[in-house]
Amino acid sequence: MEAPFLFQCPISMELMEDPVTIATGVTYERKNIEKWLFTYKKLTCPATMQRLESFDLTPNHTVKRLISSFLEQAADEEPVTSPPCSYDAVEHDKLVSLLKSIQTGPFKASGLRKLKVLVEKNDELQKDLIRSGGIEVLGCVMSHVVVENSDFTAFRACEEALGVLSLLPLSDDATVELILKPNCLKPMMVIIQRGSAEARVHAMSTLMKISKINNEWIANMVTDQDVDIVKSLLDLLSDEISTKLSSSSLDVLLEIVATSNKNRLKAIEAGAVCILLELLPDASRHNCEKVLLLLKRLCECAEGRSAFADHGLGVAAVSKKILRVSEMATKLGVQILWLMSSFHHREKLLEEMMVFGTVRKLLALLHIDGRSSSTNEKAIKMMKLHGAVWRQYPCFPSELKDFLRLNH
């Protein structure tokens, strides 16, 4: 027996155990609304998006009693089971019926959850869903989230539709073309920016599948004024929801900036350099290398170097990763500092390289066997190029004095 809609938490869509009511009169599962308000620091009601004047949570004893009665009644009913069967005409008819009810009926989120359960472990049904126009139906449901004044119900249905979409095998250009239409792509950007963690994973998973089949979508989306994919991905990085999501976002951003210099400028204008530098200190090893590679590509243009220099801790963040994460991270860190000190050598930048220990690390590189020759060459060039400036500082390393004297 499926739980009535009013017994389900509007955030998780699961049966509530400890229902509480907030100032707008909407009832939620306590742990979900507490996470929304006090962990994510939201100031609005998730269902109505009204700004909250009070954050009091009032236990809803009436709803709790009704849920208890519902559970007792459900326990008394004998479960109806059906023997397992392989994919056949019965399941096809059930799938088609579900698609029709989702398309025309009012309870779209509920229908989409049933559809997901039906197809998630059945490859043949997933293919049948595509053949039966399922992607078009999902796109129609998702498109409502970008309509002005769309409500929480539309948002929730869009998330459920994305959950189904992420299961499908996107194995051919024709299927991908359907998802690349605005009614699917634009809602995905909305979910990436404002959706739940699970829905964001589904959106990014779908985008990554598309990129393996058709890489041209990236260039088209970056130039689409109605779909700001760069901003969406940077927002996702800023939220730091999960390592997996951050890694996927970095992969797509790397594809974007590799496409053209125009895309690099768009990313820089959207604040990519600042966001990446703030992510760098706590990034995992794998993501650290991606962040550094992305920074290096952005610092290859003057605008990127200027944004790097304007960030007060840019040199410190990059220097800290040299000789501490991996050989690749060290190589990328030195390349970034080489770009900065060669083409943006303001005295403030050189001072930061001395104060934050960058110069000592460059010296240390020369004493490590097996280090990349190109990395060592850049370190030597930086010391030769800026040694005279660094010599003025009281923390000037004695080893550098010897190095400069020998290489004068």
PDB file of all heavy atoms in Angstrom, residues 9-23:
ATOM      1  N   CYS A   9       7.265  13.310   3.425  1.00  0.00           N
ATOM      2  CA  CYS A   9       8.015  14.559   3.607  1.00  0.00           C
ATOM      3  C   CYS A   9       8.229  15.202   2.240  1.00  0.00           C
ATOM      4  O   CYS A   9       8.703  14.543   1.308  1.00  0.00           O
ATOM      5  CB  CYS A   9       9.368  14.275   4.263  1.00  0.00           C
ATOM      6  SG  CYS A   9      10.453  15.714   4.329  1.00  0.00           S
ATOM      7  N   PRO A  10       7.909  16.494   2.056  1.00  0.00           N
ATOM      8  CA  PRO A  10       8.082  17.149   0.757  1.00  0.00           C
ATOM      9  C   PRO A  10       9.531  17.189   0.278  1.00  0.00           C
ATOM     10  O   PRO A  10       9.777  17.403  -0.900  1.00  0.00           O
ATOM     11  CB  PRO A  10       7.566  18.577   1.024  1.00  0.00           C
ATOM     12  CG  PRO A  10       6.645  18.444   2.186  1.00  0.00           C
ATOM     13  CD  PRO A  10       7.243  17.367   3.042  1.00  0.00           C
ATOM     14  N   ILE A  11      10.485  16.987   1.195  1.00  0.00           N
ATOM     15  CA  ILE A  11      11.903  17.023   0.795  1.00  0.00           C
ATOM     16  C   ILE A  11      12.358  15.657   0.295  1.00  0.00           C
ATOM     17  O   ILE A  11      12.904  15.533  -0.798  1.00  0.00           O
ATOM     18  CB  ILE A  11      12.793  17.485   1.968  1.00  0.00           C
ATOM     19  CG1 ILE A  11      12.459  18.935   2.328  1.00  0.00           C
ATOM     20  CG2 ILE A  11      14.278  17.355   1.610  1.00  0.00           C
ATOM     21  CD1 ILE A  11      13.206  19.458   3.545  1.00  0.00           C
ATOM     22  N   SER A  12      12.133  14.610   1.081  1.00  0.00           N
ATOM     23  CA  SER A  12      12.612  13.271   0.720  1.00  0.00           C
ATOM     24  C   SER A  12      11.561  12.436  -0.004  1.00  0.00           C
ATOM     25  O   SER A  12      11.895  11.424  -0.617  1.00  0.00           O
ATOM     26  CB  SER A  12      13.069  12.524   1.970  1.00  0.00           C
ATOM     27  OG  SER A  12      11.947  12.272   2.818  1.00  0.00           O
ATOM     28  N   MET A  13      10.292  12.858   0.077  1.00  0.00           N
ATOM     29  CA  MET A  13       9.167  12.105  -0.463  1.00  0.00           C
ATOM     30  C   MET A  13       9.047  10.721   0.183  1.00  0.00           C
ATOM     31  O   MET A  13       8.537   9.784  -0.417  1.00  0.00           O
ATOM     32  CB  MET A  13       9.268  11.972  -1.997  1.00  0.00           C
ATOM     33  CG  MET A  13       9.283  13.297  -2.727  1.00  0.00           C
ATOM     34  SD  MET A  13       7.888  14.388  -2.289  1.00  0.00           S
ATOM     35  CE  MET A  13       6.503  13.503  -2.978  1.00  0.00           C
ATOM     36  N   GLU A  14       9.541  10.587   1.401  1.00  0.00           N
ATOM     37  CA  GLU A  14       9.428   9.348   2.154  1.00  0.00           C
ATOM     38  C   GLU A  14       8.467   9.533   3.322  1.00  0.00           C
ATOM     39  O   GLU A  14       8.238  10.661   3.778  1.00  0.00           O
ATOM     40  CB  GLU A  14      10.810   8.912   2.664  1.00  0.00           C
ATOM     41  CG  GLU A  14      11.785   8.575   1.551  1.00  0.00           C
ATOM     42  CD  GLU A  14      13.172   8.257   2.087  1.00  0.00           C
ATOM     43  OE1 GLU A  14      13.411   8.492   3.296  1.00  0.00           O
ATOM     44  OE2 GLU A  14      14.027   7.798   1.305  1.00  0.00           O
ATOM     45  N   LEU A  15       7.934   8.406   3.811  1.00  0.00           N
ATOM     46  CA  LEU A  15       6.984   8.445   4.916  1.00  0.00           C
ATOM     47  C   LEU A  15       7.639   9.093   6.138  1.00  0.00           C
ATOM     48  O   LEU A  15       8.764   8.743   6.515  1.00  0.00           O
ATOM     49  CB  LEU A  15       6.541   7.025   5.248  1.00  0.00           C
ATOM     50  CG  LEU A  15       5.314   6.889   6.173  1.00  0.00           C
ATOM     51  CD1 LEU A  15       4.067   7.398   5.473  1.00  0.00           C
ATOM     52  CD2 LEU A  15       5.138   5.425   6.564  1.00  0.00           C
ATOM     53  N   MET A  16       6.955  10.042   6.766  1.00  0.00           N
ATOM     54  CA  MET A  16       7.531  10.764   7.905  1.00  0.00           C
ATOM     55  C   MET A  16       7.429   9.946   9.185  1.00  0.00           C
ATOM     56  O   MET A  16       6.446   9.244   9.413  1.00  0.00           O
ATOM     57  CB  MET A  16       6.820  12.110   8.083  1.00  0.00           C
ATOM     58  CG  MET A  16       7.118  13.112   6.981  1.00  0.00           C
ATOM     59  SD  MET A  16       6.361  14.739   7.234  1.00  0.00           S
ATOM     60  CE  MET A  16       4.664  14.402   6.757  1.00  0.00           C
ATOM     61  N   GLU A  17       8.465  10.033  10.009  1.00  0.00           N
ATOM     62  CA  GLU A  17       8.478   9.390  11.316  1.00  0.00           C
ATOM     63  C   GLU A  17       8.313  10.407  12.436  1.00  0.00           C
ATOM     64  O   GLU A  17       7.704  10.125  13.459  1.00  0.00           O
ATOM     65  CB  GLU A  17       9.795   8.626  11.517  1.00  0.00           C
ATOM     66  CG  GLU A  17       9.989   7.479  10.544  1.00  0.00           C
ATOM     67  CD  GLU A  17      11.330   6.788  10.744  1.00  0.00           C
ATOM     68  OE1 GLU A  17      12.076   7.191  11.670  1.00  0.00           O
ATOM     69  OE2 GLU A  17      11.639   5.849   9.991  1.00  0.00           O
ATOM     70  N   ASP A  18       8.877  11.592  12.242  1.00  0.00           N
ATOM     71  CA  ASP A  18       8.800  12.650  13.264  1.00  0.00           C
ATOM     72  C   ASP A  18       8.389  13.951  12.581  1.00  0.00           C
ATOM     73  O   ASP A  18       9.196  14.857  12.372  1.00  0.00           O
ATOM     74  CB  ASP A  18      10.173  12.799  13.939  1.00  0.00           C
ATOM     75  CG  ASP A  18      10.125  13.784  15.111  1.00  0.00           C
ATOM     76  OD1 ASP A  18       9.013  14.202  15.504  1.00  0.00           O
ATOM     77  OD2 ASP A  18      11.206  14.143  15.620  1.00  0.00           O
ATOM     78  N   PRO A  19       7.093  14.060  12.206  1.00  0.00           N
ATOM     79  CA  PRO A  19       6.643  15.234  11.453  1.00  0.00           C
ATOM     80  C   PRO A  19       6.630  16.509  12.298  1.00  0.00           C
ATOM     81  O   PRO A  19       6.186  16.490  13.444  1.00  0.00           O
ATOM     82  CB  PRO A  19       5.230  14.848  11.006  1.00  0.00           C
ATOM     83  CG  PRO A  19       4.778  13.830  12.011  1.00  0.00           C
ATOM     84  CD  PRO A  19       6.001  13.096  12.437  1.00  0.00           C
ATOM     85  N   VAL A  20       7.143  17.591  11.712  1.00  0.00           N
ATOM     86  CA  VAL A  20       7.113  18.906  12.375  1.00  0.00           C
ATOM     87  C   VAL A  20       6.634  19.935  11.365  1.00  0.00           C
ATOM     88  O   VAL A  20       6.871  19.802  10.164  1.00  0.00           O
ATOM     89  CB  VAL A  20       8.502  19.304  12.923  1.00  0.00           C
ATOM     90  CG1 VAL A  20       8.932  18.402  14.060  1.00  0.00           C
ATOM     91  CG2 VAL A  20       9.552  19.314  11.827  1.00  0.00           C
ATOM     92  N   THR A  21       5.970  20.954  11.874  1.00  0.00           N
ATOM     93  CA  THR A  21       5.417  22.006  11.018  1.00  0.00           C
ATOM     94  C   THR A  21       6.210  23.287  11.219  1.00  0.00           C
ATOM     95  O   THR A  21       6.536  23.654  12.354  1.00  0.00           O
ATOM     96  CB  THR A  21       3.933  22.238  11.341  1.00  0.00           C
ATOM     97  OG1 THR A  21       3.219  21.002  11.185  1.00  0.00           O
ATOM     98  CG2 THR A  21       3.328  23.280  10.412  1.00  0.00           C
ATOM     99  N   ILE A  22       6.505  23.993  10.099  1.00  0.00           N
ATOM    100  CA  ILE A  22       7.252  25.254  10.199  1.00  0.00           C
ATOM    101  C   ILE A  22       6.300  26.431  10.017  1.00  0.00           C
ATOM    102  O   ILE A  22       5.088  26.248   9.879  1.00  0.00           O
ATOM    103  CB  ILE A  22       8.398  25.298   9.174  1.00  0.00           C
ATOM    104  CG1 ILE A  22       7.850  25.263   7.733  1.00  0.00           C
ATOM    105  CG2 ILE A  22       9.360  24.136   9.387  1.00  0.00           C
ATOM    106  CD1 ILE A  22       8.923  25.485   6.684  1.00  0.00           C
ATOM    107  N   ALA A  23       6.842  27.626  10.006  1.00  0.00           N
ATOM    108  CA  ALA A  23       6.027  28.849  10.035  1.00  0.00           C
ATOM    109  C   ALA A  23       5.066  28.974   8.862  1.00  0.00           C
ATOM    110  O   ALA A  23       4.016  29.619   8.978  1.00  0.00           O
ATOM    111  CB  ALA A  23       6.954  30.066  10.091  1.00  0.00           C
TER     112      ALA A  23
END
